[in-house]
Amino acid sequence: DIVMTQSPHSLALSLGERATINCKSSHSVIFGSNSYNYLAWYQQKPGQPPKLLLYWASTRESGVPDRFSGSGSGTDFTLTISSLQAEDVAVYYCQQYLLNPFTFGPGTKVEIK
Amino acid sequence: EVQLAESGGALAQPGGSLKLACAASGFTFSNYAMNWVRQVPGKGLEWVSAISGSGGRGEGPFYADSVKGRFTISRDNFKNTLYLQMNSLRAEDTAVYYCAQVKGQSGYSQLPIDRWGRGTLVTVSS
């Protein structure tokens, strides 16, 4: 199984600051046939189901603000929120969907300082 | 509008069974692979199972190791409904279970999830 890890576990930043969340997979999530990274990022606010933010590691879902961006390849990935807003308070998860089981990371909680 | 509505969550005894259902509407259900994802209240997400859509060439279904041999995912494309039959329930199966649709109607499961239901709570306790 591919094990997903995330760091930090939580972070508290001031409004307008840059937030960086790291995700690491135990095996590469690049599919050889198309060279895509099978890696998604989700945002979950309290009392709500998760929401897809980014997929193929860096493709922003429709309607997601451009302050959210994704980077990385292979086994190391980053979600960046360029300027933290109050509505970004949430838990963020990465997930690999290359190999069964399609594992999630443990989540990173983002709060406002 | 895409809607996913889970039902069937309840209090069950250890060793017992439950069957969850997810009624889908607003899209061509048969074309999409579907997932079940669970979450212990206050904890992280755990992927549980996936089943391909009609174009998925019969791949899977797929299961997390924690439920393999106990849970069975299925779908009725005529009723636009996804199911999760849960047998030999354990206390650690207690969670909110989300029905989730992948992005893209290729039928394959190897896709991100872009639609989620509101979830149904399963509690396993004596």
Side-chain angles (χ1 to χ4, degrees):
Chain A
D1 298 1
I2 297 178
V3 177
M4 307 299 291
T5 57
Q6 289 182 233
S7 62
H9 173 72
S10 64
L11 72 163
L13 299 168
S14 300
L15 292 173
E17 284 196 297
R18 174 185 296 261
T20 301
I21 299 170
N22 300 301
C23 172
K24 189 174 182 67
S25 59
S26 60
H27 296 86
S28 173
V29 298
I30 296 177
F31 185 43
S33 296
N34 58 23
S35 299
Y36 279 31
N37 285 281
Y38 281 50
L39 190 284
W41 288 97
Y42 301 88
Q43 175 194 64
Q44 187 178 32
K45 297 181 179 180
Q48 297 183 16
K51 172 188 173 183
L52 178 65
L53 293 178
L54 300 149
Y55 54 100
W56 306 129
S58 61
T59 300
R60 201 176 298 115
E61 173 72 332
S62 176
V64 172
D66 61 7
R67 64 179 180 274
F68 291 92
S69 63
S71 62
S73 184
T75 61
D76 293 278
F77 301 91
T78 300
L79 169 67
T80 300
I81 308 173
S82 60
S83 177
L84 191 66
Q85 304 300 304
E87 60 265 33
D88 301 335
V89 169
V91 180
Y92 294 84
Y93 298 92
C94 59
Q95 183 206 18
Q96 67 82 18
Y97 47 94
L98 176 65
L99 292 176
N100 167 52
F102 302 130
T103 40
F104 287 92
T108 295
K109 186 174 185 178
V110 174
E111 299 173 303
I112 302 296
K113 193 187 297 181
Chain B
E1 180 191 2
V2 170
Q3 290 197 344
L4 300 169
E6 303 93 339
S7 61
L11 173 64
Q13 296 218 332
S17 297
L18 278 178
K19 188 171 186 176
L20 305 184
C22 171
S25 60
F27 64 103
T28 305
F29 177 72
S30 61
N31 288 355
Y32 291 79
M34 298 293 294
N35 290 254
W36 288 99
V37 176
R38 68 185 181 184
Q39 185 171 37
V40 175
K43 303 297 184 183
L45 300 170
E46 181 185 11
W47 177 84
V48 173
S49 184
I51 187 168
S52 63
S54 57
R57 300 185 183 182
E59 63 161 13
F62 304 117
Y63 298 95
D65 293 343
S66 57
V67 307
K68 200 174 299 181
R70 301 187 299 122
F71 290 11
T72 302
I73 191 172
S74 62
R75 63 191 300 159
D76 185 331
N77 290 335
F78 293 102
K79 294 183 178 179
N80 290 344
T81 303
L82 177 72
Y83 300 100
L84 186 67
Q85 176 67 50
M86 304 186 295
N87 298 331
S88 303
L89 283 164
R90 306 168 180 167
E92 54 265 36
D93 296 320
T94 295
V96 173
Y97 285 73
Y98 293 103
C99 167
Q101 173 196 356
V102 303
K103 183 176 181 66
Q105 50 184 327
S106 69
Y108 288 101
S109 299
Q110 291 171 293
L111 290 166
I113 294 170
D114 71 340
R115 294 281 189 266
W116 301 73
R118 300 297 299 183
T120 187
L121 177 62
V122 171
T123 303
V124 183
S125 175
S126 55

